[in-house]
């Protein structure tokens, strides 16, 4: 999204179902709400409604084929994906849901969705039996876990003669969801978010270190999502193998002491601090400037305590910045999170139980959002979805603080 652009763009993807005619109403509704709307259709959708209909309604070219001549030299599915503040698929067939769930991109619509970084809303419409099939439900779950927002189909008489679930949701309901996502796409505009991520490595000598298994995925997902929502983001990360998220200031450090220096250098300007780094609590008290020879191996390594960066930020905070910490525990998760909340003067703690398989190095996690007066348990979710849910709460805290 281009934060300078006033009008937001919603890309509406229409697939081949009888409900395609209702996409006309959806498009008009979105335009009435002030959005620029661009339509992309599957070949099958054009059997139900012609591209000319949408072209006339939107005043914009309608994309159908990957191979059509383009008015400019840009690759169309990529430019469409980049322009989208929100993508809405309505109606979405079982076939397209299945393709998206497997990352397939064999036409204009699926290629655009795969290339899009914007949130995707899916409004399925199909025969009841197709909707209820476990394979369809498994595909829906897979997409949900990756952050796709589903608008459940309604019940009623279907075009095939069956009565049951499968009707496309009301266009106004779909437009409401699109508007909510579009609002979310800018809810951190003007906010400076500082994120710490990854492990720290505490060197014993030039080649050996004490570290931990943190992959940095959660912190990177938070930084990326915050930037997408309009925040100015600084990401201070320990050693990880992840690429720089787009539009984020990335500061790569190695040790806890370096992380503290980099975080404090940016703290003054920060409105929000999200400390997801797994900072090593101890470092070797001495550093050997040359590699320690096998024959010289010490019997014990003397450790020195590292600073608690987040606790120090909490102490330095005058109530201006919102502070969010993480808590990885193996038991009594909420109770320990509350202790951390108070001890480090935090607004929110994202707690998770690392006694099972989830947590470090995984794509998914199960967290509890703990504040002074609430504990919200969430199901197992992709780390990107957790990032989005966390930032929903942060955005609410930011606007509450502004209103004070
Ligand atoms: O106390 P504990 O290490 O469990 O607290 C975890 C939270 O504190 C995380 O948000 C982590 O990023 C932060 N932390 C820190 N500096 C440390 C240890 C933890 O900023 N030395």
């Amino acid at each position: 999204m281009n934060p300078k652009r006033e009008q937001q763009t919603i890309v509406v993807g229409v697939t081949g179902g009888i409900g395609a005619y209702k996409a006309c109403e959806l498009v008009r509704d979105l335009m009435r709400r002030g959005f620029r709307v661009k339509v992309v259709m599957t070949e099958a959708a054009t059997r139900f409604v012609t591209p000319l209909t949408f072209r006339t309604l939107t005043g914009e070219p309608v994309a159908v084929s990957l191979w059509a001549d383009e008015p400019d030299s840009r690759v169309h599915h990529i430019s469409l994906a980049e322009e989208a503040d929100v993508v809405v698929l309505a109606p979405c067939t079982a076939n397209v849901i299945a393709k998206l769930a497997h990352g397939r991109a064999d036409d204009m619509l699926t290629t655009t969705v795969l290339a899009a970084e914007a949130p995707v809303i899916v409004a399925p419409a199909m025969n009841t039996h197709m909707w209820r099939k476990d394979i369809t439900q498994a595909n829906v779950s897979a997409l949900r876990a990756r952050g796709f927002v589903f608008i459940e189909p309604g019940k009623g008489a279907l075009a095939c003669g069956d009565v049951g679930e499968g009707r496309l949701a009301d266009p106004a309901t779909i437009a409401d969801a699109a508007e909510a996502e579009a609002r979310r796409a800018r809810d951190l505009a003007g906010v400076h978010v500082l994120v710490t991520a990854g492990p720290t490595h505490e060197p014993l000598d030039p080649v050996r270190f004490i570290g931990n298994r943190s992959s940095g995925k959660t912190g990177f997902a938070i930084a990326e999502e915050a930037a997408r929502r309009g925040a100015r983001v600084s990401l201070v990360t320990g050693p990880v193998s992840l690429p720089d998220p787009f539009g984020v200031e990335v500061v790569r450090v190695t040790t806890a002491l370096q992380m503290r220096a980099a975080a404090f250098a940016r703290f003054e300007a920060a409105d929000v601090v999200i400390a997801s780094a797994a900072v090593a609590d101890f470092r070797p008290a001495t550093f050997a400037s040359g590699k320690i020879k096998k024959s010289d191996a010490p019997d014990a390594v003397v450790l020195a305590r590292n600073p608690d960066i987040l606790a120090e930020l909490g102490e330095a905070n005058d109530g201006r910045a919102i502070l969010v910490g993480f808590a990885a525990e193996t038991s009594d998760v909420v109770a320990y999170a509350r202790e951390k909340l108070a001890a480090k003067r935090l607004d929110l703690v994202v707690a998770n139980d690392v006694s099972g398989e989830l947590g470090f190095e995984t794509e998914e996690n199960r967290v509890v959002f703990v504040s002074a007066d609430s504990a919200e348990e969430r199901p197992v979710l992709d780390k990107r979805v957790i990032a989005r849910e966390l930032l929903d709460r942060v955005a609410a805290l930011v606007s509450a603080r502004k209103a004070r």
Side-chain angles (χ1 to χ4, degrees):
M1 183 196 68
N2 175 354
K4 289 202 198 87
R5 204 180 57 228
E6 265 308 297
Q7 196 179 27
Q8 288 180 290
T9 299
I10 297 189
V11 170
V12 174
V14 185
T15 76
I18 180 65
Y21 77 92
K22 293 193 196 164
C24 301
E25 183 49 40
L26 170 66
V27 163
R28 293 189 54 155
D29 191 345
L30 291 172
M31 291 178 67
R32 270 198 301 269
R33 295 174 193 230
F35 295 106
R36 183 165 78 120
V37 178
K38 289 199 159 191
V39 173
V40 50
M41 305 174 77
T42 61
E43 201 69 50
T46 65
R47 305 284 178 133
F48 293 91
V49 183
T50 70
L52 181 63
T53 309
F54 289 113
R55 197 197 154 93
T56 311
L57 288 174
T58 61
E60 300 277 356
V62 172
V64 180
S65 168
L66 278 170
W67 314 114
D69 272 346
E70 297 308 332
D72 58 32
S73 58
R74 303 194 64 197
V75 182
H76 199 186
H77 60 275
I78 303 297
S79 62
L80 258 186
E82 280 174 357
E83 277 173 276
D85 290 288
V86 180
V87 178
V88 181
L89 305 180
C92 193
T93 58
N95 178 48
V96 171
I97 289 172
K99 284 206 249 177
L100 297 175
H102 293 85
R104 290 194 59 177
D106 61 355
D107 61 12
M108 190 65 174
L109 184 144
T110 49
T111 310
T112 302
V113 176
L114 192 61
E117 289 289 331
V120 182
I121 296 173
V122 184
M126 65 196 73
N127 163 278
T128 303
H129 303 290
M130 291 170 84
W131 172 247
R132 292 242 183 99
K133 272 281 154 62
D134 52 1
I135 183 67
T136 302
Q137 289 304 317
N139 289 333
V140 169
S141 301
L143 290 173
R144 269 213 177 100
R146 290 186 161 77
F148 285 61
V149 177
F150 275 79
I151 303 183
E152 297 283 326
K155 271 192 188 150
L158 302 175
C160 54
D162 279 355
V163 176
E165 285 162 277
R167 275 164 69 100
L168 180 68
D170 185 24
T173 309
I174 302 170
D176 285 346
E179 196 174 348
E181 283 301 327
R183 204 177 311 124
R184 188 191 337 229
R186 285 195 173 168
D187 61 359
L188 293 173
V191 178
H192 188 167
V193 180
L194 168 62
V195 183
T196 70
T200 62
H201 287 180
E202 310 297 333
L204 269 161
D205 69 17
V207 295
R208 303 183 181 94
F209 61 83
I210 296 176
N212 62 65
R213 288 164 49 208
S214 168
S215 64
K217 278 181 191 146
T218 301
F220 274 61
I222 293 166
E224 192 168 0
E225 171 77 5
R228 191 180 303 145
R229 288 160 77 155
R232 189 150 69 84
V233 184
S234 301
L235 172 63
V236 179
T237 178
V240 294
S241 55
L242 300 169
D244 288 5
F246 183 73
V248 168
E249 180 208 15
V250 181
V251 187
R252 295 192 185 256
V253 299
T254 305
T255 66
L257 293 176
Q258 291 167 353
M259 185 174 276
R260 173 170 67 171
F264 266 91
R266 285 156 186 84
F267 180 54
E268 269 298 289
D271 304 298
V272 177
V273 179
I274 302 176
S276 70
V279 184
D281 291 313
F282 303 98
R283 64 179 183 276
T286 52
F287 171 69
S289 54
K291 184 181 168 193
I292 301 167
K293 291 270 171 275
K294 208 183 279 181
S295 51
D296 299 338
D299 293 331
V301 176
V302 179
L303 297 174
R305 187 174 279 279
N306 267 334
D308 188 319
I309 303 167
L310 184 56
E312 288 186 3
L313 292 172
E315 225 164 285
N317 190 21
D318 50 6
R320 171 191 53 87
I322 287 156
L323 299 190
V324 180
F326 277 68
E329 304 290 351
T330 49
S331 63
D332 298 324
V333 175
V334 174
Y336 282 119
R338 281 254 158 74
E339 276 180 23
K340 218 156 280 184
L341 193 81
K344 303 194 188 193
R345 305 173 205 197
L346 309 179
D347 298 278
L348 189 65
V349 168
V350 186
N352 74 312
D353 187 340
V354 288
S355 59
E357 308 227 304
L358 293 166
F360 289 135
E361 292 169 334
T362 58
E363 292 300 330
E364 296 179 326
N365 208 347
R366 185 168 46 217
V367 303
V368 190
F369 293 109
V370 181
S371 70
D373 49 18
S374 69
E376 294 173 84
E377 262 183 63
R378 304 298 299 137
V380 175
L381 295 168
D382 188 282
K383 286 179 175 172
R384 282 166 299 182
V385 181
I386 293 172
R388 184 196 293 177
E389 294 201 356
L390 168 60
L391 290 172
D392 285 349
R393 287 158 180 81
V394 167
L397 289 169
V398 169
S399 55
R401 191 147 303 182
K402 270 193 200 139
R404 265 201 334 218

